[in-house]
Amino acid sequence: MSSEAAGGRETLALCQQLNEAKQQLLQQAEYCTEMGAATCTLLWGVSSSEEVVRAILGGVWNASCVGSTVTWCSGICKRNKVRCQKLYGICGDGTTSLLLLGICDKALKFFNITGQTMESFVKSLDGDVKELDSDENQFVFALAGIVTNVAAIACGREFLVNSSRVLLDTILQLLGDLKPGQCTKLKVLMLMSLYNVSINLKGLKYISESPGFIPLLWWLLSDPDAEVCLHVLRLVQSVVLEPEVFSKSSSELRSSLPRQRILAMSKSRNPHLQTVAQELLEDLRALECDV
């Protein structure tokens, strides 16, 4: 056999090995994505329990929170007077200020990886605005859902504000990166996370002071999805109804307010969107009368 023929066979064998290795890596990636989607979907479901959130965060915080409960708020939140219809956590003494004495390293790593995964997912989108039913999508949606549920508990909000600000920054960035009508389910989950964080005064201050926050809200109101707009308006309410926060952003908010867009939403066929838009307009009129 000639050396040329032998070399050809070696090259063919190497190419075959390379293809097999690529196939194995692809299968491993698909398996990891499928397993991640299944695991995080399960965790998303159970993270609506405060006990589970405690376990996720390491279970160590100020003793004043012994006996904490999760309460459904259907009216005005006592702390920041924001109308809300979300689950939120309150301590036994009625406060939301918790001192997390110890934080599990795994929780920190989990939320860091969550932000990185969500960012990679958004960057990989090719511009298609359709919602695709895939393990990759479900994996990312479940991660966002876990963040939303953690932020629905007082100690979870405190954790995110104190220890996972990079994740909050990433969420704000991704909301600006996604085009109107694109990946609306992920947008809604991220907006719900921010709204829940905004129930914490420190969290609301941090979010509202992020560069470009007000323009981001108005950009998101251009989304054709009613649920996206609904949660944007709720986030705007958090800003408007917290005097300490509103005083710092009132000038920018008033000067750039898309009033006609909000007026149109106040006449929406979606009853939830219509109600929140009407409430926001009423809140703004009341503030203008106070000036």
Side-chain angles (χ1 to χ4, degrees), residues 41-287:
T41 299
L42 290 173
L43 184 57
W44 182 7
V46 299
S47 63
S48 60
S49 163
E50 183 180 4
E51 292 299 324
V52 172
V53 173
R54 289 183 187 180
I56 291 173
L57 300 181
V60 183
W61 57 82
N62 192 306
S64 68
C65 277
V66 174
S68 295
T69 59
V70 176
T71 302
W72 180 264
C73 174
S74 59
I76 306 296
C77 295
K78 292 182 180 179
R79 194 204 56 75
N80 61 2
K81 300 181 181 179
V82 175
R83 297 183 181 89
C84 69
Q85 295 179 337
K86 288 294 301 170
L87 282 173
Y88 69 99
I90 60 172
C91 300
D93 61 0
T95 68
T96 57
S97 179
L98 307 178
L99 176 60
L100 300 181
L101 300 177
I103 299 175
C104 179
D105 287 341
K106 295 298 182 182
L108 287 169
K109 290 179 181 179
F110 176 81
F111 288 107
N112 284 337
I113 293 172
T114 293
Q116 294 167 7
T117 303
M118 291 166 60
E119 185 174 13
S120 296
F121 174 78
V122 171
K123 287 182 177 179
S124 71
L125 297 176
D126 59 2
D128 189 354
V129 299
K130 296 180 180 178
E131 302 282 358
L132 300 177
D133 184 15
S134 68
D135 287 328
E136 183 181 8
N137 282 25
Q138 183 58 34
F139 185 14
V140 174
F141 296 159
L143 287 172
I146 293 167
V147 176
T148 301
N149 283 352
V150 169
I153 308 297
C155 58
R157 290 192 287 276
E158 194 76 10
F159 170 86
L160 293 172
V161 174
N162 289 330
S163 304
S164 288
R165 291 188 173 188
V166 173
L167 175 58
L168 299 179
D169 292 340
T170 299
I171 289 175
L172 288 165
Q173 174 197 322
L174 298 182
L175 284 169
D177 290 342
L178 289 168
K179 300 174 183 178
Q182 186 180 32
C183 218
T184 55
K185 184 174 182 179
L186 180 59
K187 278 185 185 176
V188 167
L189 288 168
M190 292 193 293
L191 285 166
M192 289 171 68
S193 297
L194 293 179
Y195 176 79
N196 285 348
V197 168
S198 76
I199 295 173
N200 179 298
L201 179 57
K202 191 191 303 181
L204 178 58
K205 286 181 178 179
Y206 182 77
I207 293 170
S208 63
E209 291 171 4
S210 297
F213 177 68
I214 298 300
L216 173 63
L217 294 178
W218 305 154
W219 154 256
L220 289 169
L221 278 183
S222 66
D223 199 284
D225 186 84
E227 195 171 3
V228 169
C229 294
L230 170 64
H231 291 288
V232 173
L233 292 181
R234 283 179 172 165
L235 194 51
V236 175
Q237 277 188 309
S238 287
V239 175
V240 169
L241 295 179
E242 178 53 61
E244 185 178 350
V245 174
F246 181 67
S247 63
K248 294 182 179 180
S249 57
S250 60
S251 177
E252 182 181 11
L253 193 149
R254 293 176 193 275
S255 64
S256 59
L257 181 72
R259 191 175 294 273
Q260 292 303 316
R261 174 68 171 154
I262 299 174
L263 280 169
M265 292 178 184
S266 70
K267 301 174 184 177
S268 170
R269 293 182 179 179
N270 183 307
H272 301 296
L273 180 59
Q274 179 187 99
T275 299
V276 175
Q278 289 174 350
E279 289 176 350
L280 178 57
L281 290 170
E282 290 172 6
D283 294 332
L284 290 170
R285 280 194 291 268
L287 287 170

